[in-house]
Amino acid sequence: MLVDYFLMAVNSITHRKLRSWLTVIGIIIGVAAIISLITTSRSLESTIESQFEQFGANRIIISAKGFQGPGTLSQGLTNEDVDTIKKISGFKYVVPGLFRTSEIKRNKETGFTLVWSLPSENFEQFFEDAGIEIQEGRNIQGNEKFVAIIGARAASEMFSRELRVGDKIEIVKQDFKIVGILEEIGNAQDDNQINIPLESAREIFNEPDKVDTIIAQVKSANDIPLLQQKIEKDLERKRGDTNFQVLTATQILEQINQVLGIVQIVLVGIAAISLVVGAIGIMNSMYTNVLERTKDIGIMKAIGARNSDILQIFLIESGLIGLVGGLFGTVLGTGMALIIEQFSKNAGFLLIVKIEPLVLIFGLVFAFIVGMISGVLPAYQASRLKPVDALRYE
């Protein structure tokens, strides 16, 4: 019996092709938007997690908290804070970092990018622990001063001619020799970054004591909570204030994921509006179908069709419209997510889109349910028609 109902529903849809396709388009747009946004946001979350795993989970990052409110002063980190943390046992190493956005010159060309600096003796170990590899050249060695390691995009795109190992660039009127070029990491900031020794950065930026961030590499991940508390306690006692923050890579990742979760909910909610519009379109189409087929309904009831039979026929039809829209919507949404992946790569961010079967199944089932729900009222109205009134309907 259900097979007969299914064939009747298919016949009804195919006999009203234009109206059916116009109705289906609303569902396609809604499902495509939801699938593409969910797939992209979940892929973004996964990509960020992999980046943090590469960065290293065994790190504690200390930075200035900044302005705390009216009547308070914000004191940034200094070398004294670095010395305080170095006195705490349990760390593989503690390195201060200084970074500035600066003008970079080569011959008559000028570019702007982030200049990041660490103590020269820590570069090799830091890059190794972070999983950063040098594509060409070598690392910065201890006691070297006016040398630089540049990111892959900085080498290939900053100037009209590609930068190579041995070339010189000018930062704040000081020449730096390029000794290494990094492999592509996957995000624009890191790949455009220029790395120089901290001693050189202090000289050219006139920052003899300031520190922007302190990175403490722990020996054992099990000691992270205890060492985090120890840093907070010792810094507060030494500085006499709490204008700093001590975060682990895991905490930073949790904060990012919270923001991404909120953004995902908002975007999916906006996309769902188009699905609601599509559902209204299905309902409108089904009401029109009921009116057009009133006599047919009367004939079916006259020869013994029950209310439940009529109800099932119209529900199957509305569900099929939703399912077809869901099928095309999932294909379109997947295609949109892959296009976003390509755009992100062109923009310098390595977004790896993962197509999850469960998300696609969700899109199909959700569209089918929306179609069924949209057809409930028209189907109920059709099932309640009296045979005599239906046969007399003009």
Side-chain angles (χ1 to χ4, degrees), residues 32-83:
I34 290 174
I35 293 296
S36 61
L37 287 172
I38 291 177
T39 300
T40 303
S41 60
R42 287 176 65 86
S43 297
L44 180 61
E45 188 176 327
S46 175
T47 301
I48 291 173
E49 285 178 0
S50 65
Q51 290 275 351
F52 267 85
E53 287 175 5
Q54 183 182 25
F55 176 76
N58 292 358
R59 287 182 174 175
I60 298 177
I61 300 97
I62 304 96
S63 59
K65 189 180 289 184
F67 183 66
Q68 298 296 301
T72 62
L73 295 175
S74 172
Q75 180 182 348
L77 300 177
T78 64
N79 285 324
E80 190 174 351
D81 297 318
V82 179
D83 294 335

Tab-separated table of all heavy atoms in Angstrom, residues 32-83:
chain	number	residue	atom	x	y	z
A	32	ALA	N	21.608	23.842	1.987
A	32	ALA	CA	22.976	24.127	1.517
A	32	ALA	C	23.685	25.090	2.463
A	32	ALA	O	24.871	24.904	2.785
A	32	ALA	CB	22.930	24.703	0.103
A	33	ALA	N	22.966	26.116	2.910
A	33	ALA	CA	23.571	27.093	3.828
A	33	ALA	C	23.954	26.432	5.152
A	33	ALA	O	25.053	26.648	5.677
A	33	ALA	CB	22.592	28.248	4.074
A	34	ILE	N	23.060	25.609	5.683
A	34	ILE	CA	23.333	24.949	6.961
A	34	ILE	C	24.493	23.963	6.834
A	34	ILE	O	25.411	23.947	7.667
A	34	ILE	CB	22.064	24.237	7.478
A	34	ILE	CG1	21.022	25.278	7.901
A	34	ILE	CG2	22.391	23.309	8.643
A	34	ILE	CD1	19.684	24.695	8.298
A	35	ILE	N	24.483	23.125	5.797
A	35	ILE	CA	25.538	22.128	5.615
A	35	ILE	C	26.900	22.796	5.427
A	35	ILE	O	27.901	22.394	6.038
A	35	ILE	CB	25.234	21.222	4.396
A	35	ILE	CG1	24.001	20.345	4.673
A	35	ILE	CG2	26.436	20.337	4.063
A	35	ILE	CD1	24.168	19.357	5.789
A	36	SER	N	26.953	23.827	4.592
A	36	SER	CA	28.232	24.497	4.332
A	36	SER	C	28.764	25.174	5.591
A	36	SER	O	29.973	25.106	5.884
A	36	SER	CB	28.085	25.523	3.205
A	36	SER	OG	27.157	26.531	3.546
A	37	LEU	N	27.874	25.803	6.369
A	37	LEU	CA	28.318	26.500	7.580
A	37	LEU	C	28.767	25.514	8.654
A	37	LEU	O	29.792	25.731	9.307
A	37	LEU	CB	27.183	27.390	8.108
A	37	LEU	CG	26.893	28.644	7.289
A	37	LEU	CD1	25.637	29.337	7.783
A	37	LEU	CD2	28.084	29.605	7.343
A	38	ILE	N	28.009	24.441	8.844
A	38	ILE	CA	28.389	23.449	9.846
A	38	ILE	C	29.709	22.785	9.455
A	38	ILE	O	30.623	22.638	10.280
A	38	ILE	CB	27.287	22.382	10.023
A	38	ILE	CG1	26.048	22.994	10.683
A	38	ILE	CG2	27.803	21.205	10.867
A	38	ILE	CD1	24.890	22.023	10.835
A	39	THR	N	29.829	22.382	8.193
A	39	THR	CA	31.049	21.716	7.723
A	39	THR	C	32.259	22.636	7.849
A	39	THR	O	33.318	22.231	8.342
A	39	THR	CB	30.893	21.275	6.250
A	39	THR	OG1	29.788	20.367	6.147
A	39	THR	CG2	32.156	20.583	5.755
A	40	THR	N	32.090	23.898	7.440
A	40	THR	CA	33.212	24.846	7.496
A	40	THR	C	33.616	25.152	8.925
A	40	THR	O	34.810	25.167	9.256
A	40	THR	CB	32.839	26.150	6.766
A	40	THR	OG1	32.464	25.856	5.416
A	40	THR	CG2	34.015	27.115	6.758
A	41	SER	N	32.635	25.395	9.800
A	41	SER	CA	32.958	25.740	11.188
A	41	SER	C	33.596	24.568	11.923
A	41	SER	O	34.549	24.756	12.691
A	41	SER	CB	31.702	26.213	11.921
A	41	SER	OG	30.701	25.207	11.925
A	42	ARG	N	33.105	23.349	11.691
A	42	ARG	CA	33.696	22.175	12.334
A	42	ARG	C	35.104	21.909	11.786
A	42	ARG	O	36.005	21.514	12.535
A	42	ARG	CB	32.804	20.953	12.131
A	42	ARG	CG	31.525	20.993	12.965
A	42	ARG	CD	30.621	19.812	12.663
A	42	ARG	NE	31.212	18.567	13.049
A	42	ARG	CZ	31.138	18.018	14.263
A	42	ARG	NH1	30.499	18.665	15.222
A	42	ARG	NH2	31.689	16.862	14.527
A	43	SER	N	35.298	22.157	10.502
A	43	SER	CA	36.628	21.993	9.910
A	43	SER	C	37.592	23.043	10.450
A	43	SER	O	38.775	22.755	10.692
A	43	SER	CB	36.539	22.105	8.382
A	43	SER	OG	35.733	21.075	7.845
A	44	LEU	N	37.082	24.266	10.643
A	44	LEU	CA	37.904	25.333	11.209
A	44	LEU	C	38.351	24.972	12.621
A	44	LEU	O	39.510	25.152	12.992
A	44	LEU	CB	37.126	26.649	11.210
A	44	LEU	CG	37.840	27.879	11.780
A	44	LEU	CD1	39.105	28.183	10.980
A	44	LEU	CD2	36.916	29.081	11.797
A	45	GLU	N	37.412	24.440	13.397
A	45	GLU	CA	37.728	24.012	14.763
A	45	GLU	C	38.795	22.922	14.748
A	45	GLU	O	39.749	22.955	15.531
A	45	GLU	CB	36.449	23.497	15.428
A	45	GLU	CG	36.582	23.186	16.899
A	45	GLU	CD	35.261	22.780	17.513
A	45	GLU	OE1	34.217	23.291	17.069
A	45	GLU	OE2	35.277	21.935	18.417
A	46	SER	N	38.644	21.952	13.852
A	46	SER	CA	39.612	20.862	13.746
A	46	SER	C	40.980	21.369	13.310
A	46	SER	O	42.018	20.928	13.821
A	46	SER	CB	39.100	19.816	12.749
A	46	SER	OG	40.045	18.806	12.540
A	47	THR	N	40.999	22.315	12.368
A	47	THR	CA	42.265	22.871	11.879
A	47	THR	C	42.995	23.619	12.983
A	47	THR	O	44.217	23.481	13.144
A	47	THR	CB	42.005	23.825	10.693
A	47	THR	OG1	41.350	23.095	9.639
A	47	THR	CG2	43.301	24.407	10.174
A	48	ILE	N	42.245	24.413	13.760
A	48	ILE	CA	42.855	25.167	14.865
A	48	ILE	C	43.417	24.212	15.910
A	48	ILE	O	44.499	24.432	16.455
A	48	ILE	CB	41.829	26.139	15.485
A	48	ILE	CG1	41.508	27.259	14.488
A	48	ILE	CG2	42.371	26.739	16.779
A	48	ILE	CD1	40.391	28.171	14.943
A	49	GLU	N	42.679	23.136	16.206
A	49	GLU	CA	43.160	22.145	17.168
A	49	GLU	C	44.465	21.512	16.712
A	49	GLU	O	45.388	21.330	17.508
A	49	GLU	CB	42.097	21.065	17.383
A	49	GLU	CG	40.925	21.522	18.227
A	49	GLU	CD	39.860	20.445	18.385
A	49	GLU	OE1	40.056	19.341	17.825
A	49	GLU	OE2	38.852	20.703	19.071
A	50	SER	N	44.549	21.192	15.422
A	50	SER	CA	45.785	20.591	14.900
A	50	SER	C	46.936	21.585	14.951
A	50	SER	O	48.085	21.215	15.214
A	50	SER	CB	45.575	20.096	13.464
A	50	SER	OG	45.325	21.172	12.584
A	51	GLN	N	46.623	22.890	14.731
A	51	GLN	CA	47.655	23.919	14.819
A	51	GLN	C	48.186	24.018	16.249
A	51	GLN	O	49.388	24.168	16.470
A	51	GLN	CB	47.079	25.279	14.390
A	51	GLN	CG	46.779	25.374	12.903
A	51	GLN	CD	47.974	25.774	12.067
A	51	GLN	OE1	49.006	26.152	12.595
A	51	GLN	NE2	47.848	25.648	10.759
A	52	PHE	N	47.278	23.926	17.231
A	52	PHE	CA	47.704	24.010	18.625
A	52	PHE	C	48.483	22.776	19.044
A	52	PHE	O	49.401	22.852	19.861
A	52	PHE	CB	46.493	24.213	19.541
A	52	PHE	CG	46.202	25.656	19.816
A	52	PHE	CD1	45.431	26.401	18.938
A	52	PHE	CD2	46.709	26.285	20.930
A	52	PHE	CE1	45.159	27.739	19.172
A	52	PHE	CE2	46.447	27.630	21.179
A	52	PHE	CZ	45.674	28.353	20.300
A	53	GLU	N	48.103	21.613	18.506
A	53	GLU	CA	48.866	20.409	18.793
A	53	GLU	C	50.287	20.546	18.258
A	53	GLU	O	51.255	20.106	18.880
A	53	GLU	CB	48.176	19.194	18.169
A	53	GLU	CG	46.910	18.775	18.912
A	53	GLU	CD	46.185	17.655	18.205
A	53	GLU	OE1	46.726	17.147	17.194
A	53	GLU	OE2	45.087	17.274	18.648
A	54	GLN	N	50.396	21.162	17.085
A	54	GLN	CA	51.712	21.396	16.503
A	54	GLN	C	52.482	22.410	17.338
A	54	GLN	O	53.689	22.268	17.553
A	54	GLN	CB	51.559	21.905	15.074
A	54	GLN	CG	52.880	22.122	14.347
A	54	GLN	CD	52.678	22.671	12.942
A	54	GLN	OE1	51.676	23.307	12.662
A	54	GLN	NE2	53.626	22.432	12.080
A	55	PHE	N	51.777	23.436	17.824
A	55	PHE	CA	52.421	24.468	18.638
A	55	PHE	C	52.988	23.865	19.920
A	55	PHE	O	54.027	24.267	20.408
A	55	PHE	CB	51.406	25.573	18.954
A	55	PHE	CG	51.940	26.637	19.866
A	55	PHE	CD1	52.813	27.598	19.392
A	55	PHE	CD2	51.558	26.684	21.191
A	55	PHE	CE1	53.291	28.597	20.228
A	55	PHE	CE2	52.038	27.673	22.036
A	55	PHE	CZ	52.906	28.632	21.544
A	56	GLY	N	52.278	22.878	20.458
A	56	GLY	CA	52.769	22.217	21.663
A	56	GLY	C	51.837	22.421	22.842
A	56	GLY	O	51.586	23.550	23.256
A	57	ALA	N	51.343	21.306	23.384
A	57	ALA	CA	50.443	21.377	24.530
A	57	ALA	C	51.205	21.580	25.827
A	57	ALA	O	50.617	21.879	26.864
A	57	ALA	CB	49.598	20.093	24.606
A	58	ASN	N	52.536	21.395	25.790
A	58	ASN	CA	53.342	21.478	27.015
A	58	ASN	C	53.906	22.873	27.246
A	58	ASN	O	55.015	23.019	27.747
A	58	ASN	CB	54.502	20.468	26.954
A	58	ASN	CG	54.014	19.042	27.020
A	58	ASN	OD1	52.823	18.794	27.153
A	58	ASN	ND2	54.928	18.097	26.922
A	59	ARG	N	53.147	23.873	26.868
A	59	ARG	CA	53.626	25.234	27.013
A	59	ARG	C	52.691	26.071	27.881
A	59	ARG	O	51.477	25.900	27.833
A	59	ARG	CB	53.781	25.909	25.644
A	59	ARG	CG	54.969	25.388	24.873
A	59	ARG	CD	55.138	26.091	23.564
A	59	ARG	NE	56.365	25.655	22.913
A	59	ARG	CZ	56.750	26.022	21.717
A	59	ARG	NH1	55.985	26.841	21.016
A	59	ARG	NH2	57.874	25.585	21.201
A	60	ILE	N	53.289	26.974	28.619
A	60	ILE	CA	52.542	27.968	29.382
A	60	ILE	C	52.920	29.325	28.819
A	60	ILE	O	54.111	29.633	28.654
A	60	ILE	CB	52.868	27.883	30.887
A	60	ILE	CG1	52.461	26.508	31.438
A	60	ILE	CG2	52.155	28.994	31.648
A	60	ILE	CD1	52.820	26.299	32.897
A	61	ILE	N	51.912	30.120	28.485
A	61	ILE	CA	52.155	31.427	27.865
A	61	ILE	C	51.776	32.522	28.845
A	61	ILE	O	50.640	32.554	29.349
A	61	ILE	CB	51.348	31.580	26.559
A	61	ILE	CG1	51.748	30.483	25.561
A	61	ILE	CG2	51.582	32.947	25.937
A	61	ILE	CD1	50.840	29.301	25.562
A	62	ILE	N	52.714	33.410	29.116
A	62	ILE	CA	52.486	34.512	30.051
A	62	ILE	C	52.525	35.819	29.256
A	62	ILE	O	53.442	36.057	28.475
A	62	ILE	CB	53.577	34.543	31.157
A	62	ILE	CG1	53.623	33.200	31.890
A	62	ILE	CG2	53.290	35.679	32.142
A	62	ILE	CD1	54.652	32.238	31.382
A	63	SER	N	51.511	36.658	29.473
A	63	SER	CA	51.462	37.946	28.780
A	63	SER	C	50.827	38.989	29.688
A	63	SER	O	50.210	38.642	30.707
A	63	SER	CB	50.667	37.835	27.479
A	63	SER	OG	49.344	37.400	27.748
A	64	ALA	N	50.973	40.262	29.316
A	64	ALA	CA	50.372	41.342	30.104
A	64	ALA	C	48.869	41.327	29.915
A	64	ALA	O	48.363	41.098	28.823
A	64	ALA	CB	50.952	42.684	29.671
A	65	LYS	N	48.139	41.570	31.008
A	65	LYS	CA	46.678	41.574	30.948
A	65	LYS	C	46.159	42.890	30.396
A	65	LYS	O	45.106	42.944	29.776
A	65	LYS	CB	46.084	41.310	32.331
A	65	LYS	CG	44.589	41.093	32.318
A	65	LYS	CD	44.057	40.842	33.730
A	65	LYS	CE	44.474	39.493	34.246
A	65	LYS	NZ	43.891	39.204	35.579
A	66	GLY	N	46.878	43.965	30.630
A	66	GLY	CA	46.443	45.253	30.095
A	66	GLY	C	45.648	46.063	31.090
A	66	GLY	O	45.637	45.811	32.296
A	67	PHE	N	44.943	47.044	30.588
A	67	PHE	CA	44.185	47.985	31.410
A	67	PHE	C	43.106	47.283	32.213
A	67	PHE	O	42.326	46.501	31.672
A	67	PHE	CB	43.566	49.049	30.501
A	67	PHE	CG	42.818	50.130	31.247
A	67	PHE	CD1	43.493	50.999	32.072
A	67	PHE	CD2	41.437	50.256	31.109
A	67	PHE	CE1	42.815	52.005	32.740
A	67	PHE	CE2	40.759	51.251	31.781
A	67	PHE	CZ	41.446	52.135	32.602
A	68	GLN	N	43.041	47.550	33.512
A	68	GLN	CA	42.115	46.851	34.401
A	68	GLN	C	40.908	47.674	34.819
A	68	GLN	O	40.050	47.185	35.529
A	68	GLN	CB	42.876	46.401	35.670
A	68	GLN	CG	44.010	45.431	35.374
A	68	GLN	CD	43.493	44.135	34.794
A	68	GLN	OE1	42.706	43.442	35.413
A	68	GLN	NE2	43.912	43.828	33.589
A	69	GLY	N	40.858	48.916	34.390
A	69	GLY	CA	39.724	49.754	34.779
A	69	GLY	C	40.191	51.110	35.267
A	69	GLY	O	41.385	51.350	35.451
A	70	PRO	N	39.259	52.040	35.506
A	70	PRO	CA	39.622	53.388	35.947
A	70	PRO	C	40.420	53.360	37.247
A	70	PRO	O	40.121	52.590	38.167
A	70	PRO	CB	38.261	54.065	36.154
A	70	PRO	CG	37.319	53.277	35.297
A	70	PRO	CD	37.821	51.875	35.330
A	71	GLY	N	41.437	54.202	37.314
A	71	GLY	CA	42.223	54.315	38.536
A	71	GLY	C	43.339	53.295	38.645
A	71	GLY	O	44.027	53.234	39.663
A	72	THR	N	43.546	52.454	37.628
A	72	THR	CA	44.608	51.453	37.689
A	72	THR	C	45.577	51.667	36.549
A	72	THR	O	45.243	52.241	35.520
A	72	THR	CB	44.035	50.023	37.580
A	72	THR	OG1	43.398	49.879	36.307
A	72	THR	CG2	43.014	49.749	38.669
A	73	LEU	N	46.790	51.189	36.757
A	73	LEU	CA	47.820	51.288	35.737
A	73	LEU	C	48.175	49.894	35.238
A	73	LEU	O	48.116	48.929	35.987
A	73	LEU	CB	49.070	51.971	36.306
A	73	LEU	CG	48.898	53.438	36.736
A	73	LEU	CD1	50.173	53.941	37.396
A	73	LEU	CD2	48.543	54.313	35.541
A	74	SER	N	48.552	49.807	33.991
A	74	SER	CA	48.936	48.528	33.408
A	74	SER	C	50.440	48.511	33.185
A	74	SER	O	50.979	49.330	32.467
A	74	SER	CB	48.211	48.304	32.084
A	74	SER	OG	48.721	47.165	31.441
A	75	GLN	N	51.110	47.587	33.848
A	75	GLN	CA	52.546	47.469	33.682
A	75	GLN	C	52.836	46.218	32.877
A	75	GLN	O	52.456	45.119	33.262
A	75	GLN	CB	53.231	47.380	35.050
A	75	GLN	CG	54.744	47.251	34.946
A	75	GLN	CD	55.382	47.110	36.315
A	75	GLN	OE1	54.735	47.334	37.325
A	75	GLN	NE2	56.649	46.741	36.336
A	76	GLY	N	53.516	46.353	31.733
A	76	GLY	CA	53.816	45.215	30.889
A	76	GLY	C	54.877	44.320	31.498
A	76	GLY	O	55.470	44.618	32.542
A	77	LEU	N	55.132	43.207	30.821
A	77	LEU	CA	56.152	42.269	31.285
A	77	LEU	C	57.545	42.829	31.008
A	77	LEU	O	57.756	43.588	30.061
A	77	LEU	CB	55.980	40.931	30.569
A	77	LEU	CG	54.644	40.212	30.773
A	77	LEU	CD1	54.604	38.945	29.931
A	77	LEU	CD2	54.413	39.871	32.235
A	78	THR	N	58.492	42.421	31.845
A	78	THR	CA	59.878	42.885	31.699
A	78	THR	C	60.830	41.700	31.858
A	78	THR	O	60.415	40.579	32.189
A	78	THR	CB	60.224	43.953	32.754
A	78	THR	OG1	60.149	43.347	34.053
A	78	THR	CG2	59.248	45.132	32.683
A	79	ASN	N	62.107	41.969	31.685
A	79	ASN	CA	63.122	40.941	31.885
A	79	ASN	C	63.124	40.414	33.315
A	79	ASN	O	63.485	39.262	33.561
A	79	ASN	CB	64.515	41.498	31.544
A	79	ASN	CG	64.738	41.614	30.050
A	79	ASN	OD1	64.282	40.779	29.281
A	79	ASN	ND2	65.446	42.670	29.629
A	80	GLU	N	62.725	41.269	34.249
A	80	GLU	CA	62.656	40.839	35.642
A	80	GLU	C	61.622	39.725	35.827
A	80	GLU	O	61.830	38.786	36.591
A	80	GLU	CB	62.303	42.038	36.530
A	80	GLU	CG	62.443	41.756	38.024
A	80	GLU	CD	62.223	42.991	38.885
A	80	GLU	OE1	62.134	44.096	38.316
A	80	GLU	OE2	62.140	42.832	40.119
A	81	ASP	N	60.509	39.821	35.084
A	81	ASP	CA	59.494	38.761	35.148
A	81	ASP	C	60.033	37.455	34.558
A	81	ASP	O	59.734	36.360	35.061
A	81	ASP	CB	58.241	39.190	34.376
A	81	ASP	CG	57.587	40.417	34.981
A	81	ASP	OD1	57.501	40.491	36.215
A	81	ASP	OD2	57.176	41.308	34.206
A	82	VAL	N	60.833	37.577	33.508
A	82	VAL	CA	61.450	36.386	32.902
A	82	VAL	C	62.360	35.706	33.924
A	82	VAL	O	62.327	34.474	34.093
A	82	VAL	CB	62.256	36.758	31.644
A	82	VAL	CG1	62.920	35.521	31.045
A	82	VAL	CG2	61.355	37.430	30.613
A	83	ASP	N	63.175	36.503	34.632
A	83	ASP	CA	64.079	35.953	35.640
A	83	ASP	C	63.302	35.278	36.770
A	83	ASP	O	63.734	34.237	37.297
A	83	ASP	CB	64.962	37.062	36.212
A	83	ASP	CG	65.926	37.640	35.167
A	83	ASP	OD1	66.244	36.904	34.212
A	83	ASP	OD2	66.330	38.804	35.321
